[in-house]
Amino acid sequence: MSKRVFYTVLFLAVCSILGIVAVQTFWLNKAFNLKQQQFEYEVSVALLNVTDRLCEINQSELPDDPIEKLSSNYFIVNLNNSISPRVLELILLEEFTKREMDQAFEYAIFDCTDQTMVYGSYLSTDEMRVRTDDFPVLDKDEYYFGVRFPRMRSYVSGEMDIWWFSSIVLVLVIAFFSYALFAIFRQRQLSEIQKDFVNNMTHEFKTPIASIQLASYAISESLSNENRFKQYASIIQLESERLKNQVDRVLDITSLEGKVIDLKYESCDLIQLIDEAIQRVSALLDQSNGNVKVIESDKKININVDKFHFENVLVNILDNAIKYCVKQPLIRVELEQRKNKVLIKVIDNGIGMDEGVNRRIFKKFYRVTNNDLYSVKGFGLGLYYAKTIVEAHGGSIEVESNLSGSTFLITL
Ligand code: ADP
């Protein structure tokens, strides 16, 4: 699948998810409103029956439009006569129970004489207690009582079980779908990284193989000339050694995958370890006319590490400091001991990295995909190896970088 097709499919998939979420939200909202209207209708009919029965008791006429809806959960009922709280309470309970409206409500009666709401009670068909909440007083001179349903929203929500169920199913479907998309995305990234790795490896192996081929061909041509014979034989030796090192390096690093690393701890003099690492990059240093300066701590530092792996870590960092530098490489290695911690700083004057890159360079196979850099050889495994080893020692490795150089900090 081409990059363009992949991103178009990804875009359409995300759009369809958003579309489904929007449609579900729309219908959920609509269903809630419908349920709420249905509830208001049921309350109005029940209150109309209550009014009718109260008028019958008082032998008065039913007023026109006695029910007023002040909000979706607060209703006012206008009457021509005074109201007995005990009778009202009983009739309200009866009418609501008859209509299977088993939710809590509170009521209050307006007292025309001192213009206040009185006899406020909080009732429910399953519980009964007095509430101190004040009911709003309306600017009216006639008798009226107010009924409020404080838990109306949760009651209406509770009536929407099927809608909640379908929403949960939808959330699950979206979660699985997103996970599948993420997995496809990740898989694609991995396959691109793998492609880069194979390209790099082919490039890295091609040169020594070509040199070996040429040298062996030349050997067969110059068997009579001992000097030339030796020269070509040494090229074969050197290049096959280089080839072996590359293969070993890749195998070493990939074999760390998912395993508990078996570290062979020994006490080492840090300065000596650094000197040995510098020795191993001396050929590269000579080639680029570079220099490594070690700033020692006041005291001699001994560390308990796996010498083989830890030296490889230092070699990888020094190797990068030389490789990723376009001028004369000037590298400083600073050592410091703080309480029970040892800090090793490797500061270079190389090309540095962007901020976004800093976090990713420790990932397996990661290389900065700047075309100019591909002239610099590598597999994108050196820093992954460094991080894996330092962390296996219980330490940490960090990088700070800008376009005038990078500083790698190992804390043990
Ligand atoms: P490799 O060097 O084989 O590509 P590494 O894992 O050692 O792999 O490094 C990963 C990437 O981090 C490199 O491709 C390079 O872009 C960047 N990098 C590492 N060290 C430095 C450095 N000292 N200066 C600038 N860039 C660096």
Side-chain angles (χ1 to χ4, degrees):
M1 202 192 282
S2 78
K3 212 171 184 162
R4 206 164 147 209
V5 174
F6 176 74
Y7 281 107
T8 313
V9 170
L10 196 70
F11 174 73
L12 291 177
V14 171
C15 284
S16 60
I17 290 182
L18 292 179
I20 292 172
V21 171
V23 169
Q24 178 73 7
T25 315
F26 171 79
W27 283 113
L28 205 63
N29 202 24
K30 216 163 172 72
F32 185 85
N33 287 341
L34 264 173
K35 286 277 175 198
Q36 190 168 311
Q37 277 170 17
Q38 194 180 341
F39 167 78
E40 288 166 9
Y41 172 76
E42 294 278 345
V43 172
S44 301
V45 173
L47 290 180
L48 205 61
N49 285 351
V50 172
T51 322
D52 198 23
R53 284 176 65 184
L54 286 173
C55 289
E56 229 170 69
I57 293 168
N58 290 328
Q59 293 184 332
S60 63
E61 263 192 41
L62 190 71
D64 294 335
D65 290 334
I67 319 290
E68 271 180 57
K69 189 187 97 181
L70 295 190
S71 72
S72 55
N73 70 339
Y74 186 40
F75 298 79
I76 291 288
V77 181
N78 299 306
L79 286 169
N80 294 329
N81 290 92
S82 61
I83 306 154
S84 148
R86 280 188 60 76
V87 175
L88 174 66
E89 199 170 297
L90 216 79
I91 298 178
L92 279 173
L93 271 174
E94 256 181 45
E95 285 300 326
F96 287 147
T97 315
K98 211 171 16 178
R99 309 193 79 81
E100 291 178 1
M101 297 171 66
D102 54 355
Q103 61 163 307
F105 64 93
E106 49 196 2
Y107 78 92
I109 301 167
F110 180 63
D111 184 351
C112 294
T113 47
D114 53 2
Q115 301 275 308
T116 51
M117 295 299 275
V118 289
Y119 306 117
S121 270
Y122 178 83
L123 297 140
S124 122
T125 45
D126 52 7
E127 57 178 315
M128 185 184 262
R129 63 191 159 90
V130 177
R131 260 179 69 115
T132 51
D133 275 10
D134 279 341
F135 274 69
V137 177
L138 304 184
D139 191 14
K140 279 174 184 267
D141 274 338
E142 53 195 330
Y143 292 99
Y144 73 89
F145 67 90
V147 181
R148 186 157 56 189
F149 299 86
R151 293 199 228 135
M152 185 275 291
R153 289 190 83 80
S154 54
Y155 168 78
V156 174
S157 301
E159 293 280 290
M160 292 173 54
D161 329 9
I162 186 71
W163 283 96
W164 294 129
F165 176 72
S166 72
S167 299
I168 291 169
V169 170
L170 187 72
V171 168
L172 285 178
V173 169
I174 290 174
F176 285 127
F177 189 58
S178 308
Y179 179 73
L181 273 185
F182 172 75
I184 294 171
F185 192 70
R186 181 99 194 96
Q187 207 57 42
R188 193 189 154 80
Q189 261 184 341
L190 284 179
S191 86
E192 265 175 20
I193 288 173
Q194 210 169 18
K195 209 165 73 189
D196 282 347
F197 174 70
V198 172
N199 285 345
N200 281 335
M201 201 156 95
T202 324
H203 174 79
E204 290 273 295
F205 290 168
K206 253 185 182 166
T207 324
I209 290 171
S211 306
I212 290 170
Q213 263 179 339
L214 263 177
S216 55
Y217 176 73
I219 273 184
S220 61
E221 296 281 297
S222 58
L223 275 175
S224 50
N225 185 334
E226 199 182 331
N227 276 347
R228 282 207 169 167
F229 181 84
K230 277 188 181 159
Q231 189 191 346
Y232 291 132
S234 75
I235 292 178
I236 292 182
Q237 223 175 2
L238 211 76
E239 292 294 339
S240 50
E241 186 67 26
R242 200 171 128 199
L243 205 55
K244 181 179 171 297
N245 283 344
Q246 300 281 26
V247 173
D248 282 352
R249 204 166 159 199
V250 174
L251 289 180
D252 272 355
I253 295 168
T254 44
S255 69
L256 291 181
E257 192 72 34
K259 277 191 194 162
V260 179
I261 307 161
D262 181 21
L263 297 174
K264 294 180 179 63
Y265 284 97
E266 54 187 298
S267 174
C268 313
D269 176 0
L270 185 56
I271 292 288
Q272 202 184 334
L273 203 67
I274 289 171
D275 282 343
E276 279 168 30
I278 295 174
Q279 202 54 42
R280 279 173 58 188
V281 293
S282 57
L284 260 179
L285 275 174
D286 290 346
Q287 244 177 37
S288 53
N289 206 16
N291 175 268
V292 183
K293 197 169 171 192
V294 183
I295 318 269
E296 294 182 33
S297 142
D298 311 336
K299 288 183 280 174
K300 185 177 170 206
I301 304 176
N302 269 320
I303 50 170
N304 210 20
V305 288
D306 181 310
K307 192 166 177 286
F308 169 77
H309 283 303
F310 201 73
E311 197 178 298
N312 281 346
V313 170
L314 295 172
V315 168
N316 283 348
I317 294 173
L318 290 172
D319 191 53
N320 283 347
I322 305 165
K323 275 195 311 189
Y324 300 104
C325 185
V326 281
K327 41 193 173 188
Q328 183 194 11
L330 299 175
I331 303 160
R332 276 161 66 92
V333 181
E334 293 181 2
L335 310 176
E336 205 183 312
Q337 183 150 32
R338 277 192 215 154
K339 288 186 186 161
N340 56 347
K341 277 186 184 167
V342 174
L343 309 181
I344 306 166
K345 260 188 196 176
V346 182
I347 307 161
D348 68 42
N349 62 336
I351 54 171
M353 290 162 266
D354 292 341
E355 181 127 358
V357 170
N358 286 3
R359 282 175 285 120
R360 285 187 265 162
I361 53 171
F362 296 104
K363 286 192 177 160
K364 198 161 62 163
F365 298 128
Y366 183 81
R367 303 201 73 215
V368 177
T369 48
N370 177 342
N371 286 336
D372 310 344
L373 278 186
Y374 270 110
S375 53
V376 179
K377 292 168 186 164
F379 296 128
L381 290 172
L383 291 180
Y384 165 73
Y385 172 81
K387 190 173 162 72
T388 312
I389 296 298
V390 171
E391 285 178 355
H393 280 84
S396 66
I397 179 166
E398 286 160 37
V399 63
E400 271 173 27
S401 188
N402 55 45
L403 296 183
S404 57
S406 313
T407 301
F408 283 85
L409 173 70
I410 299 177
T411 312
L412 278 184

